[in-house]
Amino acid sequence: MSSRQRQQQQQQTQSEEDEQQQQQNEQEEEEDMRGITKVQALEQCGISSGDIKKLCDAGLFTVEAVAFTPRKTLIAIKGLSEVKADKILAEGGIETGGITEIFGEFRTGKTQLCHTLAVMAQLPTNMGGGEGRVMYIDTEGTFRPERLLATAERFGLNGEEVLDNVAFARAYNSDHQMNLLVQGAAMMAESRFSLLIVDSATSLYRTDYSGRGELSARQMHLAKFMRMLQRLADEFGIAVVLTNQVVAQVDAMAFGPTSKPIGGNIIAHASTTRFVPSANATPATAAAGSDSHSQYKVHDSLRNGIMSVRSTVIAGHPLEAHLANWEETQDRFKLNTARCAYGLHQPLRMQMERHFVSKPNRIPVLKQSNLADDILSGKDSTIDFEDFLGESDPSMYLMDVHGTAERTLGMTSSGPL
């Protein structure tokens, strides 16, 4: 074969390869336009090719199909364990084009999570980030730049660049909070943003609108605010994260939640995803945590006792907390039953009566006994621990009558009282 023929053959092969590459690129662009991502893209998130093949065999050919599949269905696929299923579902992050709501009680880590997301959104896309700027609207005065610097150091980013990429604004009332979104839209039109954070979305509404007379106006203003957030998410393709406060649920049942997020159905329907951070750790877990370790990171059994390995390894069942506080749970159930049967005044009356009889006047040397409290609590027909072994509360001690008399009469070396 002459050199000219070889050259023509190479050119033909190169043209075929270019044509195949062009067809592949056109196919990928078409899939991107349709919003479809093949399941093979999970390989970039650490999912092995074998597990991806198992997903395809189960009929899951796109990432969207995997995201819409329940966890128990993924576990039922042969060869996928619970750990693998959790890893596949965890590779999602905060959804773009939607609103993610984080609600919970105070000191549950909502603001800290927002600070972490403000840094992670600036990471490259191959590291799970959004590779864009962040807009942070603070309504409670809890924004701390030093937290961003510490998080940036954790991810190996330049702290000054991280702060420069965060557009921060403090809102002082609900109208100002709405106007900041208009100004933010103008900034998003000039540069690329990947995340919008509002911490929190409802705190100013609780102070600007008070009472049931202004409830309708508050909900209408809040609905416009949520609609503006969704419009920004749709228009610029950003992820929106907002935190929400909670309010006590007065009519909660004994085994139901005692608090609910503010905003009612307005925020509930507008939010694409609702996230509840874990509450504070249990006493057993806290005792086995950082407070029970010495400076050498070893549990100090002499000062803190024997560590409970079970509390640090096995997650407690939700029913365990109710069983640990059985009496409190039963009291709440009785009070709620009385409220439903006789009205709100009945549980208040029961609590007042128990409060009055819980502090009787008696000689200090006598053991703890309160028949009236037992009758009101419904314990008069039962035999409990303190009925035959004394008071179970270690914070209450009986007076040493002999020692008191000796000190009063000056019979001890310390002299009279």
Side-chain angles (χ1 to χ4, degrees), residues 331-404:
D331 289 340
R332 288 177 53 194
F333 179 77
K334 293 176 182 178
L335 294 175
N336 186 73
T337 303
R339 178 187 180 278
C340 296
Y342 303 103
L344 184 61
H345 70 282
Q346 184 63 20
L348 295 177
R349 176 184 175 182
M350 295 169 61
Q351 290 179 319
M352 291 176 60
E353 291 177 347
R354 292 188 59 181
H355 176 72
F356 291 145
V357 301
S358 62
K359 299 179 180 180
N361 296 323
R362 63 167 61 87
I363 302 177
V365 297
L366 296 180
K367 289 183 178 292
Q368 175 77 10
S369 177
N370 196 331
L371 181 59
D373 185 68
D374 291 343
I375 295 175
L376 294 176
S377 304
K379 301 179 182 179
D380 54 323
S381 60
T382 61
I383 299 178
D384 296 329
F385 174 86
E386 51 273 0
D387 292 331
F388 61 94
L389 288 179
E391 177 59 45
S392 61
D393 188 0
S395 62
M396 300 182 65
Y397 296 97
L398 299 177
M399 178 183 295
D400 184 6
V401 60
H402 298 287
T404 303

Side-chain angles (χ1 to χ4, degrees), residues 196-375:
L196 169 61
I197 299 175
V198 183
D199 183 29
S200 79
T202 55
S203 61
L204 296 177
Y205 286 92
R206 301 185 71 177
T207 56
D208 293 352
Y209 300 90
S210 59
R212 292 186 175 273
E214 298 181 334
L215 179 60
S216 178
R218 186 193 76 173
Q219 293 299 93
M220 291 180 60
H221 196 287
L222 185 59
K224 294 180 181 179
F225 178 75
M226 297 299 295
R227 181 66 188 91
M228 185 66 176
L229 289 178
Q230 186 60 52
R231 199 198 78 180
L232 294 178
D234 296 335
E235 182 177 355
F236 300 101
I238 61 174
V240 178
V241 175
L242 59 89
T243 63
N244 193 5
Q245 300 177 353
V246 296
V247 63
Q249 193 168 355
V250 182
D251 56 346
M253 292 296 293
F255 294 96
T258 58
S259 60
K260 59 182 179 180
I262 301 174
N265 295 328
I266 297 296
I267 294 185
H269 290 298
S271 301
T272 308
T273 305
R274 311 191 81 178
F275 175 69
V276 185
S278 300
N280 295 332
T282 59
T285 305
S290 57
D291 294 340
S292 64
H293 289 72
S294 64
Q295 58 180 339
Y296 303 106
K297 304 302 180 181
V298 178
H299 179 73
D300 194 346
S301 301
L302 294 177
R303 292 185 174 89
N304 302 283
I306 300 176
M307 181 178 61
S308 175
V309 180
R310 176 184 178 276
S311 61
T312 59
V313 177
I314 304 176
H317 192 273
L319 186 59
E320 183 177 355
H322 294 289
L323 295 178
N325 304 308
W326 174 254
E327 293 185 359
E328 180 181 355
T329 303
Q330 290 297 309
D331 289 340
R332 288 177 53 194
F333 179 77
K334 293 176 182 178
L335 294 175
N336 186 73
T337 303
R339 178 187 180 278
C340 296
Y342 303 103
L344 184 61
H345 70 282
Q346 184 63 20
L348 295 177
R349 176 184 175 182
M350 295 169 61
Q351 290 179 319
M352 291 176 60
E353 291 177 347
R354 292 188 59 181
H355 176 72
F356 291 145
V357 301
S358 62
K359 299 179 180 180
N361 296 323
R362 63 167 61 87
I363 302 177
V365 297
L366 296 180
K367 289 183 178 292
Q368 175 77 10
S369 177
N370 196 331
L371 181 59
D373 185 68
D374 291 343
I375 295 175

Side-chain angles (χ1 to χ4, degrees), residues 40-49 51-52 87-88 91:
Q40 284 76 11
L42 292 177
E43 290 188 22
Q44 301 177 0
C45 301
I47 308 301
S48 64
S49 57
D51 294 335
I52 292 178
K87 183 178 181 181
I88 292 174
E91 298 296 339

Side-chain angles (χ1 to χ4, degrees), residues 10-83:
Q10 291 176 359
Q11 292 177 356
Q12 183 178 0
T13 304
Q14 183 66 28
S15 62
E16 292 177 356
E17 293 178 356
D18 295 341
E19 185 177 356
Q20 292 178 359
Q21 183 66 28
Q22 184 178 0
Q23 293 178 356
Q24 184 179 357
N25 293 337
E26 291 177 356
Q27 184 179 1
E28 291 179 355
E29 291 178 359
E30 183 180 357
E31 291 176 353
D32 292 339
M33 291 295 293
R34 292 183 299 170
I36 296 176
T37 305
K38 288 187 175 181
V39 73
Q40 284 76 11
L42 292 177
E43 290 188 22
Q44 301 177 0
C45 301
I47 308 301
S48 64
S49 57
D51 294 335
I52 292 178
K53 185 177 183 303
K54 296 172 184 176
L55 294 175
C56 294
D57 294 340
L60 305 176
F61 300 100
T62 63
V63 176
E64 290 76 15
V66 175
F68 295 150
T69 303
R71 178 177 179 271
K72 61 180 181 180
T73 305
L74 290 179
I75 297 176
I77 298 177
K78 186 177 180 180
L80 289 183
S81 61
E82 296 185 5
V83 177

